[in-house]
Amino acid sequence: MNASFPQSRRRFLQTSTALATASALGLSGEVSAAPAIHSKHNLKALATSMSGRLILPGELGYAMAAAPNNQRYADILPIAVAMCANDKDVQLCLRWAIDHRQPFAVRSGGHNYAGFSTTKGLLIDVKAMNGITYNEKENTCTISAGVSNQDMANFFSGGFLAVPSGRCPTVGAAGLVLGGGWGFSATHAGLTCDSLKSSNIVLPNQRLVVAEDKGEYQDLFWGLRGGGGGNFGINTSFTFNLVDVSHNVTIFNILWPAQKQIELFSALQELQKNHATQISTRSKIVPSRAGTNYTMADLQVTTLGQFFGDKEAALKALEPVLKMVKPIKQDIREMQYWQARDYLITDDPNGMYDLRSSYIGEAMSPAGIETMLRWMMKWPGGSLLPENMGILFAIGGKVRDVPVDATAYPHRNANYIFEMEAAWAPIDKPEVVQKQQRWLHDYFAAMSPYVLQQSYINFPNREQPNWQRAYYGQNLDRLKRLKRKYDPANHFKFEQSIPLA
């Protein structure tokens, strides 16, 4: 395919060599603007220049490398998947895409719920960049951009240090931290982005820089903590301050029968409020069976979480909800932090799904809970058990101690993320999927009076009303100015990328 372009290939390799030389000399500055020097068909030249691997359609591993977590977007196939091995590979791939005026997307874990880590152009995948180092003197760790939640857990498990992070093992830590970073430690130790010390990032001009809370790029560092991935450049590594996890925690997993749902859901929020930094809950209402035509007798309340303390103190805290209605099941155990992390992990959502998210200020009102229950009873049906029709993720406590404008993450005024999902399987007919999607749209709209008009950027959806303000709140205008400064040509552009000021 590329035999007709020897001159383009030679010029590309010359440019690659120059870039590598500049990097070796510590001159990883801006690559000078120049006319396009590559042919759109010259992917082999890019492959030859990379330390990693460029995978083309039809080659071994392409289907696996191209597939996103959300299979709704599995038909959006790239012209190639660039499995980057190092910073230089990232620079080369970004240069290639910009020179060719090719669309591109960046992927670490592939879990972007709205499919924004898919592209018909070049998919720049950093999963192979998965190294972790620990600096004992500074009590920090540095992770490469492809590290997952599970990779971090494997590295620190059994010890007394951790980065506050998420519970889904395959989620990329890069996407997690750039959007804020919820996890079961958030109320106690803050968001993942609150522990971020610095990040290496390849800017749109292909310059590799260090963004930290001082020096030339401190404004960019502000934007990286909650401004979302894929807006300002390609992050290649992150350095975190570590938190102490030497003390035992107590996990709890409780399921109640379909009784007093409004009272129980309200009491669980009161529990969280009374122990704002000592407890972290994920509470939801779930049907006891798959199908449709749900009634109140089908809808059960459940909570999962951890208490930062011993079992005796946890039982005392949980006493009001345990006494209100006798649980069907309850598992309450004291254990080491990393054992608790393994207990709390989840791999959902996966397959084909759609979701919506908003925030709750202090607590969801009884009227809001009643509306939620009413819409759960309108579930149109499908082959899967709808386990995530209404979830409250506790995200107050320590998270609220940080000023709203201290980082780009704007939702410091909330105690919960409220999330709802629809999910389906290949056996579900198109009309069933359409009914689920209409239900989700109408349900989300019906909950509007009871929630903040805010949404979590790490739970994006393509139908989010007023998405710019919902994701970024009062920090939007500052983020737009950052976008203008660091990406004036708007190379990092997708359906919900931060617009230029």
Side-chain angles (χ1 to χ4, degrees), residues 53 55-69 71 74 77-78 81 83 107 109-110 123 125 127:
R53 181 187 175 203
I55 311 176
L56 301 176
E59 292 184 348
L60 184 66
Y62 173 84
M64 182 176 180
N69 170 265
Q71 290 296 298
L77 298 173
V81 181
M83 303 294 295
R107 179 180 294 177
L123 180 58
D125 194 314
K127 280 197 291 290

Side-chain angles (χ1 to χ4, degrees), residues 320-393:
V321 293
L322 294 175
K323 282 187 172 181
M324 182 172 289
V325 176
K326 183 179 180 181
I328 299 172
K329 300 176 183 178
Q330 69 179 62
D331 186 7
I332 304 172
R333 283 184 277 163
E334 182 179 338
M335 57 184 66
Q336 198 264 345
Y337 174 88
W338 289 109
Q339 292 175 314
R341 184 265 171 194
D342 292 342
Y343 183 96
L344 296 168
I345 61 171
T346 181
D347 62 355
D348 61 9
N350 55 55
M352 293 178 285
Y353 56 88
D354 197 3
L355 55 78
R356 302 287 184 273
S357 75
S358 51
Y359 281 81
I360 306 292
E362 296 304 316
M364 182 180 286
S365 67
I369 301 170
E370 184 178 3
T371 302
M372 180 174 66
L373 289 163
R374 188 166 66 247
W375 274 93
M376 289 178 178
M377 289 186 281
K378 294 181 180 181
W379 171 249
S383 63
L384 302 178
L385 175 67
E387 296 183 85
N388 298 319
M389 291 197 291
I391 310 175
L392 290 185
F393 297 96

Side-chain angles (χ1 to χ4, degrees), residues 141-321:
C141 77
T142 298
I143 68 169
S144 298
V147 166
S148 67
N149 280 330
Q150 188 61 48
D151 292 329
M152 285 200 293
N154 290 344
F155 186 85
F156 286 108
S157 183
F160 298 134
L161 297 170
V163 176
S165 61
R167 61 190 291 246
C168 181
T170 56
V171 161
L176 178 76
V177 64
L178 292 171
W182 178 87
F184 274 111
S185 294
T187 60
H188 183 73
L191 299 171
T192 309
C193 74
D194 295 335
S195 290
L196 187 65
K197 184 178 182 182
S198 66
S199 179
N200 286 11
I201 179 171
V202 176
L203 298 177
N205 60 19
Q206 297 99 63
R207 180 175 179 143
L208 178 65
V209 303
V210 180
E212 55 189 340
D213 201 16
K214 59 183 178 181
E216 184 178 357
Y217 300 101
Q218 58 184 309
D219 57 348
L220 180 58
F221 182 65
W222 175 89
L224 295 178
R225 290 173 292 166
N231 281 305
F232 304 109
I234 303 177
N235 297 77
T236 60
S237 69
F238 303 86
T239 297
F240 294 97
N241 294 309
L242 299 172
V243 298
D244 179 14
V245 294
S246 58
H247 299 289
N248 280 3
V249 300
T250 301
I251 58 88
F252 51 90
N253 190 358
I254 308 168
L255 175 67
W256 288 272
Q259 301 171 19
K260 297 184 178 180
Q261 292 95 331
I262 294 176
E263 293 89 341
L264 264 174
F265 218 61
S266 296
L268 285 169
Q269 294 176 88
E270 188 69 16
L271 167 71
Q272 183 68 56
K273 175 184 175 182
N274 292 338
H275 306 275
T277 62
Q278 200 173 11
I279 201 168
S280 181
T281 54
R282 182 233 57 193
S283 300
K284 60 182 180 178
I285 297 175
V286 297
S288 58
R289 59 177 176 85
T292 186
N293 300 317
Y294 294 136
T295 68
M296 289 290 282
D298 297 306
L299 301 176
Q300 302 174 329
V301 176
T302 182
T303 192
L304 173 73
Q306 69 181 356
F307 180 88
F308 287 85
D310 60 33
K311 182 177 178 180
E312 182 179 356
L315 284 169
K316 184 176 181 180
L318 291 165
E319 186 177 10
V321 293

